Amino acid sequence: MLTFLAAAVTIWGSAHAATAQSVDHPVVVELYTSQGCSSCPPADAFLGQLAMRSDVIPLALHVDYWDYIGWKDQFASPKYTKRQHSYAQEAGRRTVYTPQMIVQGQEHVVGNHPKNVNALISQHGEKPAEVDLNLTRSGNQVTISAEALGQDRSRLMVQLVRYTPEEMVDIRSGENAGRSIEYHNIVTSWERVGDWDMRKPLSLKAKAAGDDPIVVILQERGPGRIVAAARLR
């Protein structure tokens, strides 16, 4: 059962100070990772550091294409593999890899290069907010409200993401055999719950059963640029 009836988080406009903007419109960082990838644990640990920040929404999407080498990743989904391939296709790339981080739906960077990732987070965090996005949760339902702050009238996907904050896994075979690895912000579902063309305010209700945190991402089709995101823990 939920321990509260309702909670809200708001993404405010560009009138706020620059230091507040990075918190008011958090930057989405997607990590494509696998328990069967020996290069991934440093990126998984780095994502755990990002999970402690309020200006970032870090999300771990476990892919399934390394399962064949000796260890099946229980968090992996072909849906996340497909999403990573879609990003590659949009960028004109033929291959995908782990660990890969995609920042705000735009920049592709090696996931175990914290300096590069942090620079991109700062770059996006300093930009003014484009959307006033508000989430309110009541019981098993979330209400999504949004309004454009500028002249952009792009058509956006409204996506609802759920994740498990952390889980320790003992890996018994494959490239990481014998290791106990803590994973963070493990995506358990990623659903498109609607569309928004930004010409008029958005008001949308979606099912959100359970206690896991809720993330709403407004993103250009492709998948492309992430315009706004908000989270309810």
Side-chain angles (χ1 to χ4, degrees), residues 81-119:
T81 300
K82 182 178 179 181
R83 181 174 175 82
Q84 188 185 22
H85 276 283
S86 296
Y87 269 127
Q89 196 169 32
E90 282 293 306
R93 301 177 181 180
R94 296 183 179 181
T95 59
V96 295
Y97 64 90
T98 56
Q100 181 187 39
M101 285 186 172
I102 297 179
V103 182
Q104 207 68 355
Q106 297 170 69
E107 282 84 17
H108 300 205
V109 61
V110 177
N112 48 19
H113 290 175
K115 183 177 180 180
N116 295 342
V117 175
N118 281 324

PDB file of all heavy atoms in Angstrom, residues 81-119:
ATOM      1  N   THR A  81      16.707  -3.282 -25.596  1.00  0.00           N
ATOM      2  CA  THR A  81      17.633  -3.482 -26.719  1.00  0.00           C
ATOM      3  C   THR A  81      17.108  -2.767 -27.955  1.00  0.00           C
ATOM      4  O   THR A  81      17.862  -2.088 -28.663  1.00  0.00           O
ATOM      5  CB  THR A  81      17.812  -4.984 -27.012  1.00  0.00           C
ATOM      6  OG1 THR A  81      18.339  -5.634 -25.849  1.00  0.00           O
ATOM      7  CG2 THR A  81      18.752  -5.208 -28.179  1.00  0.00           C
ATOM      8  N   LYS A  82      15.817  -2.900 -28.204  1.00  0.00           N
ATOM      9  CA  LYS A  82      15.202  -2.247 -29.360  1.00  0.00           C
ATOM     10  C   LYS A  82      15.310  -0.728 -29.235  1.00  0.00           C
ATOM     11  O   LYS A  82      15.586  -0.040 -30.232  1.00  0.00           O
ATOM     12  CB  LYS A  82      13.733  -2.656 -29.475  1.00  0.00           C
ATOM     13  CG  LYS A  82      13.015  -2.052 -30.676  1.00  0.00           C
ATOM     14  CD  LYS A  82      11.569  -2.538 -30.751  1.00  0.00           C
ATOM     15  CE  LYS A  82      10.855  -1.904 -31.935  1.00  0.00           C
ATOM     16  NZ  LYS A  82       9.429  -2.349 -32.009  1.00  0.00           N
ATOM     17  N   ARG A  83      15.120  -0.196 -28.032  1.00  0.00           N
ATOM     18  CA  ARG A  83      15.224   1.247 -27.841  1.00  0.00           C
ATOM     19  C   ARG A  83      16.643   1.720 -28.138  1.00  0.00           C
ATOM     20  O   ARG A  83      16.837   2.746 -28.799  1.00  0.00           O
ATOM     21  CB  ARG A  83      14.820   1.618 -26.397  1.00  0.00           C
ATOM     22  CG  ARG A  83      14.883   3.117 -26.121  1.00  0.00           C
ATOM     23  CD  ARG A  83      14.325   3.444 -24.741  1.00  0.00           C
ATOM     24  NE  ARG A  83      14.502   4.864 -24.423  1.00  0.00           N
ATOM     25  CZ  ARG A  83      13.700   5.840 -24.828  1.00  0.00           C
ATOM     26  NH1 ARG A  83      12.633   5.561 -25.556  1.00  0.00           N
ATOM     27  NH2 ARG A  83      13.927   7.096 -24.488  1.00  0.00           N
ATOM     28  N   GLN A  84      17.635   0.985 -27.686  1.00  0.00           N
ATOM     29  CA  GLN A  84      19.014   1.369 -27.962  1.00  0.00           C
ATOM     30  C   GLN A  84      19.310   1.327 -29.460  1.00  0.00           C
ATOM     31  O   GLN A  84      19.967   2.224 -29.997  1.00  0.00           O
ATOM     32  CB  GLN A  84      19.983   0.449 -27.206  1.00  0.00           C
ATOM     33  CG  GLN A  84      21.422   0.932 -27.301  1.00  0.00           C
ATOM     34  CD  GLN A  84      22.416  -0.020 -26.680  1.00  0.00           C
ATOM     35  OE1 GLN A  84      22.147  -1.216 -26.530  1.00  0.00           O
ATOM     36  NE2 GLN A  84      23.583   0.490 -26.309  1.00  0.00           N
ATOM     37  N   HIS A  85      18.811   0.307 -30.138  1.00  0.00           N
ATOM     38  CA  HIS A  85      18.988   0.221 -31.592  1.00  0.00           C
ATOM     39  C   HIS A  85      18.302   1.395 -32.298  1.00  0.00           C
ATOM     40  O   HIS A  85      18.815   1.907 -33.301  1.00  0.00           O
ATOM     41  CB  HIS A  85      18.451  -1.110 -32.120  1.00  0.00           C
ATOM     42  CG  HIS A  85      19.429  -2.241 -32.015  1.00  0.00           C
ATOM     43  ND1 HIS A  85      20.491  -2.390 -32.885  1.00  0.00           N
ATOM     44  CD2 HIS A  85      19.501  -3.273 -31.142  1.00  0.00           C
ATOM     45  CE1 HIS A  85      21.183  -3.473 -32.556  1.00  0.00           C
ATOM     46  NE2 HIS A  85      20.610  -4.025 -31.499  1.00  0.00           N
ATOM     47  N   SER A  86      17.145   1.804 -31.772  1.00  0.00           N
ATOM     48  CA  SER A  86      16.439   2.942 -32.376  1.00  0.00           C
ATOM     49  C   SER A  86      17.254   4.223 -32.246  1.00  0.00           C
ATOM     50  O   SER A  86      17.310   5.027 -33.183  1.00  0.00           O
ATOM     51  CB  SER A  86      15.065   3.113 -31.719  1.00  0.00           C
ATOM     52  OG  SER A  86      14.241   2.001 -31.967  1.00  0.00           O
ATOM     53  N   TYR A  87      17.884   4.412 -31.106  1.00  0.00           N
ATOM     54  CA  TYR A  87      18.767   5.567 -30.930  1.00  0.00           C
ATOM     55  C   TYR A  87      19.913   5.525 -31.948  1.00  0.00           C
ATOM     56  O   TYR A  87      20.266   6.546 -32.553  1.00  0.00           O
ATOM     57  CB  TYR A  87      19.355   5.581 -29.518  1.00  0.00           C
ATOM     58  CG  TYR A  87      18.554   6.339 -28.496  1.00  0.00           C
ATOM     59  CD1 TYR A  87      18.180   5.732 -27.295  1.00  0.00           C
ATOM     60  CD2 TYR A  87      18.200   7.677 -28.677  1.00  0.00           C
ATOM     61  CE1 TYR A  87      17.471   6.418 -26.320  1.00  0.00           C
ATOM     62  CE2 TYR A  87      17.493   8.369 -27.711  1.00  0.00           C
ATOM     63  CZ  TYR A  87      17.127   7.743 -26.532  1.00  0.00           C
ATOM     64  OH  TYR A  87      16.424   8.438 -25.578  1.00  0.00           O
ATOM     65  N   ALA A  88      20.504   4.333 -32.101  1.00  0.00           N
ATOM     66  CA  ALA A  88      21.619   4.188 -33.038  1.00  0.00           C
ATOM     67  C   ALA A  88      21.173   4.502 -34.457  1.00  0.00           C
ATOM     68  O   ALA A  88      21.883   5.178 -35.214  1.00  0.00           O
ATOM     69  CB  ALA A  88      22.187   2.773 -32.946  1.00  0.00           C
ATOM     70  N   GLN A  89      20.005   4.026 -34.814  1.00  0.00           N
ATOM     71  CA  GLN A  89      19.465   4.264 -36.155  1.00  0.00           C
ATOM     72  C   GLN A  89      19.243   5.753 -36.387  1.00  0.00           C
ATOM     73  O   GLN A  89      19.574   6.287 -37.462  1.00  0.00           O
ATOM     74  CB  GLN A  89      18.162   3.487 -36.320  1.00  0.00           C
ATOM     75  CG  GLN A  89      17.700   3.345 -37.751  1.00  0.00           C
ATOM     76  CD  GLN A  89      16.553   2.354 -37.882  1.00  0.00           C
ATOM     77  OE1 GLN A  89      15.728   2.210 -36.968  1.00  0.00           O
ATOM     78  NE2 GLN A  89      16.490   1.670 -38.987  1.00  0.00           N
ATOM     79  N   GLU A  90      18.690   6.445 -35.402  1.00  0.00           N
ATOM     80  CA  GLU A  90      18.469   7.883 -35.517  1.00  0.00           C
ATOM     81  C   GLU A  90      19.786   8.643 -35.693  1.00  0.00           C
ATOM     82  O   GLU A  90      19.836   9.663 -36.374  1.00  0.00           O
ATOM     83  CB  GLU A  90      17.754   8.402 -34.260  1.00  0.00           C
ATOM     84  CG  GLU A  90      16.264   8.125 -34.221  1.00  0.00           C
ATOM     85  CD  GLU A  90      15.500   8.888 -35.293  1.00  0.00           C
ATOM     86  OE1 GLU A  90      15.644  10.119 -35.363  1.00  0.00           O
ATOM     87  OE2 GLU A  90      14.782   8.239 -36.065  1.00  0.00           O
ATOM     88  N   ALA A  91      20.841   8.121 -35.068  1.00  0.00           N
ATOM     89  CA  ALA A  91      22.147   8.775 -35.134  1.00  0.00           C
ATOM     90  C   ALA A  91      22.960   8.328 -36.350  1.00  0.00           C
ATOM     91  O   ALA A  91      24.091   8.788 -36.536  1.00  0.00           O
ATOM     92  CB  ALA A  91      22.931   8.493 -33.859  1.00  0.00           C
ATOM     93  N   GLY A  92      22.405   7.430 -37.166  1.00  0.00           N
ATOM     94  CA  GLY A  92      23.115   6.946 -38.345  1.00  0.00           C
ATOM     95  C   GLY A  92      24.223   5.962 -38.025  1.00  0.00           C
ATOM     96  O   GLY A  92      25.180   5.822 -38.794  1.00  0.00           O
ATOM     97  N   ARG A  93      24.077   5.260 -36.892  1.00  0.00           N
ATOM     98  CA  ARG A  93      25.088   4.292 -36.490  1.00  0.00           C
ATOM     99  C   ARG A  93      24.583   2.876 -36.703  1.00  0.00           C
ATOM    100  O   ARG A  93      23.401   2.605 -36.531  1.00  0.00           O
ATOM    101  CB  ARG A  93      25.474   4.519 -35.028  1.00  0.00           C
ATOM    102  CG  ARG A  93      26.032   5.918 -34.780  1.00  0.00           C
ATOM    103  CD  ARG A  93      26.343   6.156 -33.326  1.00  0.00           C
ATOM    104  NE  ARG A  93      26.846   7.513 -33.121  1.00  0.00           N
ATOM    105  CZ  ARG A  93      27.197   8.006 -31.935  1.00  0.00           C
ATOM    106  NH1 ARG A  93      27.108   7.266 -30.861  1.00  0.00           N
ATOM    107  NH2 ARG A  93      27.638   9.255 -31.843  1.00  0.00           N
ATOM    108  N   ARG A  94      25.504   1.980 -37.035  1.00  0.00           N
ATOM    109  CA  ARG A  94      25.127   0.607 -37.361  1.00  0.00           C
ATOM    110  C   ARG A  94      25.218  -0.341 -36.173  1.00  0.00           C
ATOM    111  O   ARG A  94      24.663  -1.437 -36.218  1.00  0.00           O
ATOM    112  CB  ARG A  94      26.013   0.081 -38.494  1.00  0.00           C
ATOM    113  CG  ARG A  94      25.841   0.826 -39.816  1.00  0.00           C
ATOM    114  CD  ARG A  94      26.687   0.199 -40.901  1.00  0.00           C
ATOM    115  NE  ARG A  94      26.514   0.883 -42.186  1.00  0.00           N
ATOM    116  CZ  ARG A  94      27.127   0.515 -43.294  1.00  0.00           C
ATOM    117  NH1 ARG A  94      27.970  -0.513 -43.285  1.00  0.00           N
ATOM    118  NH2 ARG A  94      26.908   1.189 -44.419  1.00  0.00           N
ATOM    119  N   THR A  95      25.942   0.051 -35.137  1.00  0.00           N
ATOM    120  CA  THR A  95      26.165  -0.863 -34.023  1.00  0.00           C
ATOM    121  C   THR A  95      25.767  -0.229 -32.693  1.00  0.00           C
ATOM    122  O   THR A  95      25.656   0.994 -32.574  1.00  0.00           O
ATOM    123  CB  THR A  95      27.649  -1.273 -33.944  1.00  0.00           C
ATOM    124  OG1 THR A  95      28.460  -0.094 -33.773  1.00  0.00           O
ATOM    125  CG2 THR A  95      28.077  -1.994 -35.217  1.00  0.00           C
ATOM    126  N   VAL A  96      25.577  -1.090 -31.706  1.00  0.00           N
ATOM    127  CA  VAL A  96      25.322  -0.656 -30.332  1.00  0.00           C
ATOM    128  C   VAL A  96      26.360  -1.321 -29.434  1.00  0.00           C
ATOM    129  O   VAL A  96      27.032  -2.263 -29.841  1.00  0.00           O
ATOM    130  CB  VAL A  96      23.898  -1.026 -29.869  1.00  0.00           C
ATOM    131  CG1 VAL A  96      22.848  -0.275 -30.672  1.00  0.00           C
ATOM    132  CG2 VAL A  96      23.663  -2.525 -29.960  1.00  0.00           C
ATOM    133  N   TYR A  97      26.484  -0.833 -28.223  1.00  0.00           N
ATOM    134  CA  TYR A  97      27.488  -1.378 -27.319  1.00  0.00           C
ATOM    135  C   TYR A  97      27.077  -1.122 -25.875  1.00  0.00           C
ATOM    136  O   TYR A  97      26.178  -0.321 -25.591  1.00  0.00           O
ATOM    137  CB  TYR A  97      28.859  -0.736 -27.588  1.00  0.00           C
ATOM    138  CG  TYR A  97      28.909   0.749 -27.303  1.00  0.00           C
ATOM    139  CD1 TYR A  97      29.269   1.235 -26.039  1.00  0.00           C
ATOM    140  CD2 TYR A  97      28.569   1.692 -28.284  1.00  0.00           C
ATOM    141  CE1 TYR A  97      29.298   2.594 -25.767  1.00  0.00           C
ATOM    142  CE2 TYR A  97      28.603   3.060 -28.020  1.00  0.00           C
ATOM    143  CZ  TYR A  97      28.968   3.500 -26.759  1.00  0.00           C
ATOM    144  OH  TYR A  97      28.984   4.845 -26.498  1.00  0.00           O
ATOM    145  N   THR A  98      27.752  -1.789 -24.973  1.00  0.00           N
ATOM    146  CA  THR A  98      27.614  -1.534 -23.540  1.00  0.00           C
ATOM    147  C   THR A  98      29.005  -1.329 -22.952  1.00  0.00           C
ATOM    148  O   THR A  98      29.967  -1.940 -23.436  1.00  0.00           O
ATOM    149  CB  THR A  98      26.935  -2.708 -22.814  1.00  0.00           C
ATOM    150  OG1 THR A  98      27.657  -3.910 -23.053  1.00  0.00           O
ATOM    151  CG2 THR A  98      25.493  -2.874 -23.263  1.00  0.00           C
ATOM    152  N   PRO A  99      29.140  -0.480 -21.937  1.00  0.00           N
ATOM    153  CA  PRO A  99      28.097   0.400 -21.396  1.00  0.00           C
ATOM    154  C   PRO A  99      28.006   1.690 -22.210  1.00  0.00           C
ATOM    155  O   PRO A  99      29.021   2.307 -22.522  1.00  0.00           O
ATOM    156  CB  PRO A  99      28.617   0.704 -19.990  1.00  0.00           C
ATOM    157  CG  PRO A  99      30.126   0.687 -20.150  1.00  0.00           C
ATOM    158  CD  PRO A  99      30.404  -0.370 -21.190  1.00  0.00           C
ATOM    159  N   GLN A 100      26.803   2.054 -22.549  1.00  0.00           N
ATOM    160  CA  GLN A 100      26.564   3.300 -23.272  1.00  0.00           C
ATOM    161  C   GLN A 100      25.600   4.163 -22.476  1.00  0.00           C
ATOM    162  O   GLN A 100      24.609   3.650 -21.932  1.00  0.00           O
ATOM    163  CB  GLN A 100      25.969   3.045 -24.650  1.00  0.00           C
ATOM    164  CG  GLN A 100      25.720   4.327 -25.445  1.00  0.00           C
ATOM    165  CD  GLN A 100      24.975   4.097 -26.747  1.00  0.00           C
ATOM    166  OE1 GLN A 100      24.065   3.286 -26.810  1.00  0.00           O
ATOM    167  NE2 GLN A 100      25.368   4.818 -27.787  1.00  0.00           N
ATOM    168  N   MET A 101      25.884   5.454 -22.408  1.00  0.00           N
ATOM    169  CA  MET A 101      24.947   6.400 -21.810  1.00  0.00           C
ATOM    170  C   MET A 101      24.449   7.350 -22.886  1.00  0.00           C
ATOM    171  O   MET A 101      25.227   7.785 -23.749  1.00  0.00           O
ATOM    172  CB  MET A 101      25.594   7.191 -20.669  1.00  0.00           C
ATOM    173  CG  MET A 101      25.769   6.374 -19.397  1.00  0.00           C
ATOM    174  SD  MET A 101      26.388   7.367 -18.007  1.00  0.00           S
ATOM    175  CE  MET A 101      26.225   6.174 -16.662  1.00  0.00           C
ATOM    176  N   ILE A 102      23.171   7.659 -22.837  1.00  0.00           N
ATOM    177  CA  ILE A 102      22.566   8.637 -23.733  1.00  0.00           C
ATOM    178  C   ILE A 102      21.983   9.736 -22.866  1.00  0.00           C
ATOM    179  O   ILE A 102      21.152   9.483 -21.990  1.00  0.00           O
ATOM    180  CB  ILE A 102      21.499   7.988 -24.630  1.00  0.00           C
ATOM    181  CG1 ILE A 102      22.167   6.933 -25.523  1.00  0.00           C
ATOM    182  CG2 ILE A 102      20.787   9.046 -25.477  1.00  0.00           C
ATOM    183  CD1 ILE A 102      21.238   6.189 -26.438  1.00  0.00           C
ATOM    184  N   VAL A 103      22.463  10.937 -23.087  1.00  0.00           N
ATOM    185  CA  VAL A 103      22.104  12.079 -22.247  1.00  0.00           C
ATOM    186  C   VAL A 103      21.041  12.924 -22.936  1.00  0.00           C
ATOM    187  O   VAL A 103      21.225  13.395 -24.057  1.00  0.00           O
ATOM    188  CB  VAL A 103      23.349  12.948 -21.945  1.00  0.00           C
ATOM    189  CG1 VAL A 103      22.975  14.113 -21.037  1.00  0.00           C
ATOM    190  CG2 VAL A 103      24.446  12.104 -21.304  1.00  0.00           C
ATOM    191  N   GLN A 104      19.901  13.037 -22.257  1.00  0.00           N
ATOM    192  CA  GLN A 104      18.784  13.868 -22.715  1.00  0.00           C
ATOM    193  C   GLN A 104      18.319  13.470 -24.120  1.00  0.00           C
ATOM    194  O   GLN A 104      17.839  14.283 -24.907  1.00  0.00           O
ATOM    195  CB  GLN A 104      19.166  15.353 -22.651  1.00  0.00           C
ATOM    196  CG  GLN A 104      18.006  16.303 -22.476  1.00  0.00           C
ATOM    197  CD  GLN A 104      17.304  16.204 -21.122  1.00  0.00           C
ATOM    198  OE1 GLN A 104      17.611  15.348 -20.286  1.00  0.00           O
ATOM    199  NE2 GLN A 104      16.333  17.077 -20.894  1.00  0.00           N
ATOM    200  N   GLY A 105      18.473  12.180 -24.445  1.00  0.00           N
ATOM    201  CA  GLY A 105      18.011  11.659 -25.729  1.00  0.00           C
ATOM    202  C   GLY A 105      18.849  12.087 -26.906  1.00  0.00           C
ATOM    203  O   GLY A 105      18.481  11.820 -28.048  1.00  0.00           O
ATOM    204  N   GLN A 106      19.998  12.723 -26.662  1.00  0.00           N
ATOM    205  CA  GLN A 106      20.755  13.334 -27.748  1.00  0.00           C
ATOM    206  C   GLN A 106      22.196  12.847 -27.855  1.00  0.00           C
ATOM    207  O   GLN A 106      22.602  12.310 -28.880  1.00  0.00           O
ATOM    208  CB  GLN A 106      20.756  14.860 -27.578  1.00  0.00           C
ATOM    209  CG  GLN A 106      19.363  15.468 -27.657  1.00  0.00           C
ATOM    210  CD  GLN A 106      19.353  16.929 -27.251  1.00  0.00           C
ATOM    211  OE1 GLN A 106      19.886  17.787 -27.952  1.00  0.00           O
ATOM    212  NE2 GLN A 106      18.758  17.233 -26.112  1.00  0.00           N
ATOM    213  N   GLU A 107      22.994  13.065 -26.814  1.00  0.00           N
ATOM    214  CA  GLU A 107      24.409  12.719 -26.892  1.00  0.00           C
ATOM    215  C   GLU A 107      24.643  11.264 -26.497  1.00  0.00           C
ATOM    216  O   GLU A 107      24.096  10.791 -25.496  1.00  0.00           O
ATOM    217  CB  GLU A 107      25.245  13.631 -25.988  1.00  0.00           C
ATOM    218  CG  GLU A 107      25.495  15.006 -26.577  1.00  0.00           C
ATOM    219  CD  GLU A 107      24.365  15.966 -26.341  1.00  0.00           C
ATOM    220  OE1 GLU A 107      23.534  15.681 -25.455  1.00  0.00           O
ATOM    221  OE2 GLU A 107      24.292  16.990 -27.041  1.00  0.00           O
ATOM    222  N   HIS A 108      25.482  10.593 -27.268  1.00  0.00           N
ATOM    223  CA  HIS A 108      25.864   9.211 -27.003  1.00  0.00           C
ATOM    224  C   HIS A 108      27.293   9.219 -26.474  1.00  0.00           C
ATOM    225  O   HIS A 108      28.199   9.777 -27.100  1.00  0.00           O
ATOM    226  CB  HIS A 108      25.795   8.379 -28.277  1.00  0.00           C
ATOM    227  CG  HIS A 108      24.435   8.331 -28.902  1.00  0.00           C
ATOM    228  ND1 HIS A 108      24.029   7.294 -29.726  1.00  0.00           N
ATOM    229  CD2 HIS A 108      23.364   9.170 -28.825  1.00  0.00           C
ATOM    230  CE1 HIS A 108      22.790   7.514 -30.133  1.00  0.00           C
ATOM    231  NE2 HIS A 108      22.373   8.655 -29.598  1.00  0.00           N
ATOM    232  N   VAL A 109      27.508   8.586 -25.322  1.00  0.00           N
ATOM    233  CA  VAL A 109      28.831   8.627 -24.701  1.00  0.00           C
ATOM    234  C   VAL A 109      29.106   7.299 -23.999  1.00  0.00           C
ATOM    235  O   VAL A 109      28.180   6.621 -23.553  1.00  0.00           O
ATOM    236  CB  VAL A 109      28.910   9.815 -23.704  1.00  0.00           C
ATOM    237  CG1 VAL A 109      27.892   9.657 -22.591  1.00  0.00           C
ATOM    238  CG2 VAL A 109      30.304   9.993 -23.156  1.00  0.00           C
ATOM    239  N   VAL A 110      30.365   6.916 -23.936  1.00  0.00           N
ATOM    240  CA  VAL A 110      30.744   5.692 -23.230  1.00  0.00           C
ATOM    241  C   VAL A 110      30.382   5.850 -21.752  1.00  0.00           C
ATOM    242  O   VAL A 110      30.717   6.855 -21.120  1.00  0.00           O
ATOM    243  CB  VAL A 110      32.253   5.411 -23.388  1.00  0.00           C
ATOM    244  CG1 VAL A 110      32.645   4.168 -22.596  1.00  0.00           C
ATOM    245  CG2 VAL A 110      32.605   5.220 -24.863  1.00  0.00           C
ATOM    246  N   GLY A 111      29.700   4.859 -21.204  1.00  0.00           N
ATOM    247  CA  GLY A 111      29.136   4.979 -19.868  1.00  0.00           C
ATOM    248  C   GLY A 111      30.132   5.014 -18.734  1.00  0.00           C
ATOM    249  O   GLY A 111      29.796   5.439 -17.627  1.00  0.00           O
ATOM    250  N   ASN A 112      31.362   4.532 -18.970  1.00  0.00           N
ATOM    251  CA  ASN A 112      32.345   4.586 -17.889  1.00  0.00           C
ATOM    252  C   ASN A 112      33.355   5.713 -18.081  1.00  0.00           C
ATOM    253  O   ASN A 112      34.514   5.614 -17.695  1.00  0.00           O
ATOM    254  CB  ASN A 112      33.053   3.234 -17.709  1.00  0.00           C
ATOM    255  CG  ASN A 112      33.552   2.642 -19.014  1.00  0.00           C
ATOM    256  OD1 ASN A 112      33.706   3.366 -20.009  1.00  0.00           O
ATOM    257  ND2 ASN A 112      33.806   1.343 -19.026  1.00  0.00           N
ATOM    258  N   HIS A 113      32.877   6.812 -18.695  1.00  0.00           N
ATOM    259  CA  HIS A 113      33.645   8.054 -18.824  1.00  0.00           C
ATOM    260  C   HIS A 113      32.925   9.164 -18.061  1.00  0.00           C
ATOM    261  O   HIS A 113      32.289  10.037 -18.659  1.00  0.00           O
ATOM    262  CB  HIS A 113      33.813   8.438 -20.291  1.00  0.00           C
ATOM    263  CG  HIS A 113      34.734   7.538 -21.053  1.00  0.00           C
ATOM    264  ND1 HIS A 113      34.943   7.664 -22.414  1.00  0.00           N
ATOM    265  CD2 HIS A 113      35.515   6.485 -20.651  1.00  0.00           C
ATOM    266  CE1 HIS A 113      35.799   6.737 -22.821  1.00  0.00           C
ATOM    267  NE2 HIS A 113      36.155   6.015 -21.769  1.00  0.00           N
ATOM    268  N   PRO A 114      32.986   9.143 -16.717  1.00  0.00           N
ATOM    269  CA  PRO A 114      32.218  10.105 -15.904  1.00  0.00           C
ATOM    270  C   PRO A 114      32.467  11.559 -16.265  1.00  0.00           C
ATOM    271  O   PRO A 114      31.533  12.375 -16.240  1.00  0.00           O
ATOM    272  CB  PRO A 114      32.685   9.803 -14.474  1.00  0.00           C
ATOM    273  CG  PRO A 114      33.115   8.380 -14.517  1.00  0.00           C
ATOM    274  CD  PRO A 114      33.725   8.193 -15.874  1.00  0.00           C
ATOM    275  N   LYS A 115      33.699  11.925 -16.578  1.00  0.00           N
ATOM    276  CA  LYS A 115      33.998  13.320 -16.884  1.00  0.00           C
ATOM    277  C   LYS A 115      33.177  13.811 -18.069  1.00  0.00           C
ATOM    278  O   LYS A 115      32.597  14.911 -18.029  1.00  0.00           O
ATOM    279  CB  LYS A 115      35.492  13.481 -17.181  1.00  0.00           C
ATOM    280  CG  LYS A 115      35.910  14.915 -17.434  1.00  0.00           C
ATOM    281  CD  LYS A 115      37.422  15.027 -17.649  1.00  0.00           C
ATOM    282  CE  LYS A 115      37.846  16.458 -17.909  1.00  0.00           C
ATOM    283  NZ  LYS A 115      39.313  16.567 -18.124  1.00  0.00           N
ATOM    284  N   ASN A 116      33.098  13.001 -19.124  1.00  0.00           N
ATOM    285  CA  ASN A 116      32.336  13.390 -20.309  1.00  0.00           C
ATOM    286  C   ASN A 116      30.842  13.468 -20.008  1.00  0.00           C
ATOM    287  O   ASN A 116      30.146  14.383 -20.462  1.00  0.00           O
ATOM    288  CB  ASN A 116      32.582  12.397 -21.438  1.00  0.00           C
ATOM    289  CG  ASN A 116      34.018  12.402 -21.924  1.00  0.00           C
ATOM    290  OD1 ASN A 116      34.758  13.346 -21.678  1.00  0.00           O
ATOM    291  ND2 ASN A 116      34.426  11.351 -22.607  1.00  0.00           N
ATOM    292  N   VAL A 117      30.358  12.497 -19.240  1.00  0.00           N
ATOM    293  CA  VAL A 117      28.931  12.476 -18.904  1.00  0.00           C
ATOM    294  C   VAL A 117      28.569  13.682 -18.045  1.00  0.00           C
ATOM    295  O   VAL A 117      27.567  14.358 -18.278  1.00  0.00           O
ATOM    296  CB  VAL A 117      28.560  11.159 -18.190  1.00  0.00           C
ATOM    297  CG1 VAL A 117      27.095  11.192 -17.740  1.00  0.00           C
ATOM    298  CG2 VAL A 117      28.800   9.963 -19.103  1.00  0.00           C
ATOM    299  N   ASN A 118      29.389  13.971 -17.040  1.00  0.00           N
ATOM    300  CA  ASN A 118      29.109  15.113 -16.159  1.00  0.00           C
ATOM    301  C   ASN A 118      29.114  16.435 -16.923  1.00  0.00           C
ATOM    302  O   ASN A 118      28.322  17.336 -16.633  1.00  0.00           O
ATOM    303  CB  ASN A 118      30.117  15.156 -15.015  1.00  0.00           C
ATOM    304  CG  ASN A 118      29.799  14.157 -13.918  1.00  0.00           C
ATOM    305  OD1 ASN A 118      28.639  13.907 -13.609  1.00  0.00           O
ATOM    306  ND2 ASN A 118      30.826  13.580 -13.327  1.00  0.00           N
ATOM    307  N   ALA A 119      29.993  16.543 -17.902  1.00  0.00           N
ATOM    308  CA  ALA A 119      30.041  17.770 -18.704  1.00  0.00           C
ATOM    309  C   ALA A 119      28.745  17.946 -19.486  1.00  0.00           C
ATOM    310  O   ALA A 119      28.210  19.059 -19.589  1.00  0.00           O
ATOM    311  CB  ALA A 119      31.233  17.725 -19.654  1.00  0.00           C
TER     312      ALA A 119
END
